[in-house]
Amino acid sequence: MPIHLTERDPRVPADRLVAELVPPPRFADVSFASYRPDPGQPSQAQAVEVLQAFAGTVGERPRKRRWGRSTSEAGSGGVYLDGGYGVGKTHLLAALWHTAPGPKLFATFVELTHLVGALGFHDAVAALSSYTLVCVDEFELDDPGDTVLVSTLLTRLREAGVRLAATSNTLPGRLGEGRFATDDFLREIQGLAAAFESVRIDGEDYRHRGLPEAPAAPDLETVRRTAEREGASLDHFVDLSRHLAQVHPSKYGALLDGVRVVCLEDVRTVDDQAVALRLVVLADRMYDRDLPVVASGVTFDALFAPQLLEGGYRKKYFRAISRLVALAREGADVEA
C-alpha cells in the first residue's frame, strides 16, 4: 500500500530539530572540489576562493572590546552568497559547512525560525552561541516579525563570535522587498546587510543547462502503477495542498520520512499565494531528499499562475519550478 502524506501529522521534538540541522542528504557529501564552476562565469570560481578563505577563519574567536562587544580581524563575520537559482549556492554553503570545524549548524531559514520558536529566543541564543559556524540556506524575510527576530538573533550570535554564512536570491539590503512595507523596517534590514560580506554568483541554472523543459506529465494509470513501489507515496494534489495548511512548514521534512518517490494525482495551476508558498517549502524538502516525483496533471513549469510569477515572491517560485522539474525528470526514469 502506498504512503499517504495527507494522513501524516508528524510531531518533531526540539532535540530532533537541533540534531537534524545539518546539510540535507542531497548535499551530505559535497565539497569545494566537487563543485564545477562554469568557465564562462568567473564569479563562480571566485566564490569558491572566498569561501575557502572564510572557512580558514572559522573557529577563531574574536577579540573582546569593553562592555562585552566583540570585534573580528575578518571584518563582518559573515558571507552572503547572492545569485539566481541553480548556480550552486547550496552546494557551496554545504561545502563550507563540511570544511569548517565544529560545532556547527546548517539550517534553512524556516528551520531556523522554527527552532527559535521551539526553544524560545534566549535559549536559542544561548545554544547557538557555542557554535563556531551557523549556515542559513535560502535566507528570506517574508514578514516584519521575521525581520526583527532574525536581525536580533544574528546580531547576538555575531557579538558572541559565531561566524555566519547564508544564501539567497536577494541582496541582504533588499530582503523583504515587494513583500511588506520595508521602509518601516529599514533599520533592521540594513543591520542584516552589515552582518555579511556579499559574494555574487552569476550563471545559469545548472539543472537546465542544455536540457529540455519540464517533461510531459504521465497519465493517471502510470502514476498509480508507480505508487505500488515500496516507499512510494500517493496523494491527490488538491488534498495534499489542503493538508499542508494543517502542518507547520518546519515539519514538511518529517512528513516525507521513509518516502522514496512522491506520486501525485491531478497537479493543477495554483493562484493562491498561501498555497503556493507552502508548496515551495515542500518542493525544497523533496529536493533536499532527492525524491523523484511522478505526477499527472499540469507540468511543473505551469504550477504557479502568471500573476504569482510576477509578484514579490517570484524568485521563490522560479526556484521551486527549477527543482520540481529536476525531480520530475528523475521521476521519468523511475517510470521507465
Side-chain angles (χ1 to χ4, degrees):
M1 292 290 292
I3 298 166
H4 297 294
L5 302 182
T6 52
E7 297 176 356
R8 291 183 163 189
D9 184 15
R11 295 289 181 264
V12 184
D15 57 351
R16 175 178 171 178
L17 287 176
V18 175
E20 291 185 344
L21 294 184
V22 298
R26 179 179 283 269
F27 301 99
D29 300 313
V30 300
S31 65
F32 290 126
S34 65
Y35 181 71
R36 296 290 179 262
D38 184 344
Q41 301 291 345
S43 63
Q44 295 186 9
Q46 292 167 3
V48 174
E49 294 177 4
V50 171
L51 289 175
Q52 287 177 320
F54 181 79
T57 70
V58 174
E60 296 177 358
R61 306 307 289 182
R63 302 191 312 267
K64 291 289 183 180
R65 291 178 182 170
R66 296 175 66 185
W67 304 296
R69 295 279 179 171
S70 63
T71 182
S72 171
E73 296 289 350
S76 65
V79 291
Y80 189 98
L81 305 182
D82 171 63
Y85 48 89
V87 296
K89 299 187 302 296
T90 301
H91 181 129
L92 289 174
L93 187 69
L96 171 64
W97 187 93
H98 287 302
T99 302
K104 50 197 174 181
L105 178 147
F106 187 106
T108 63
F109 184 79
V110 69
E111 289 170 336
L112 183 62
T113 55
H114 185 68
L115 179 68
V116 175
L119 299 180
F121 182 82
H122 294 293
D123 287 345
V125 171
L128 300 186
S129 292
S130 65
Y131 285 73
T132 60
L133 174 68
V134 169
C135 296
V136 185
D137 196 26
E138 302 298 352
F139 202 109
E140 194 53 89
L141 301 182
D142 294 338
D143 62 63
D146 282 350
T147 303
V148 176
L149 174 69
V150 175
S151 175
T152 306
L153 174 66
L154 295 184
T155 297
R156 296 291 183 271
L157 296 181
R158 190 158 50 108
E159 291 172 353
V162 179
R163 310 292 289 194
L164 308 172
T167 74
S168 180
N169 298 322
T170 306
L171 286 168
R174 300 180 67 182
L175 288 165
E177 186 175 277
R179 297 164 177 78
F180 53 85
T182 56
D183 288 346
D184 295 338
F185 298 91
L186 186 59
R187 182 174 62 183
E188 286 81 1
I189 293 172
Q190 289 175 335
L192 288 176
F196 298 99
E197 172 192 355
S198 292
V199 179
R200 177 69 185 178
I201 306 178
D202 300 304
E204 303 175 51
D205 183 346
Y206 78 91
R207 289 178 285 266
H208 304 294
R209 291 176 192 162
L211 295 173
E213 292 304 310
D219 57 30
L220 183 57
E221 180 182 350
T222 299
V223 173
R224 290 177 174 173
R225 185 172 62 250
T226 305
E228 296 174 0
R229 292 169 175 259
E230 183 178 357
S233 68
L234 176 64
D235 295 277
H236 192 282
F237 178 76
V238 173
D239 294 338
L240 180 59
S241 299
R242 291 171 178 165
H243 183 65
L244 292 178
Q246 310 303 316
V247 180
H248 192 280
S250 66
K251 300 177 182 178
Y252 287 5
L255 197 68
L256 297 166
D257 283 353
V259 175
R260 298 181 184 177
V261 56
V262 174
C263 298
L264 296 173
E265 299 179 2
D266 194 19
V267 173
R268 304 178 185 182
T269 299
V270 174
D271 57 11
D272 182 284
Q273 188 146 268
V275 174
L277 289 173
R278 287 191 286 268
L279 290 171
V280 167
V281 178
L282 181 66
D284 286 342
R285 300 293 78 77
M286 291 192 298
Y287 185 78
D288 287 345
R289 288 157 177 77
D290 199 14
L291 298 178
V293 178
V294 180
S296 65
V298 302
T299 54
F300 286 122
D301 52 1
L303 178 60
F304 302 115
Q307 64 267 29
L308 295 182
L309 298 179
E310 296 170 359
Y313 295 100
R314 59 188 177 277
K315 290 183 179 180
K316 284 192 171 189
Y317 297 139
F318 281 115
R319 183 187 76 237
I321 290 171
S322 170
R323 291 182 164 186
L324 287 169
V325 167
L327 295 178
R329 290 198 187 104
E330 296 178 11
D333 293 337
V334 171
E335 296 171 40

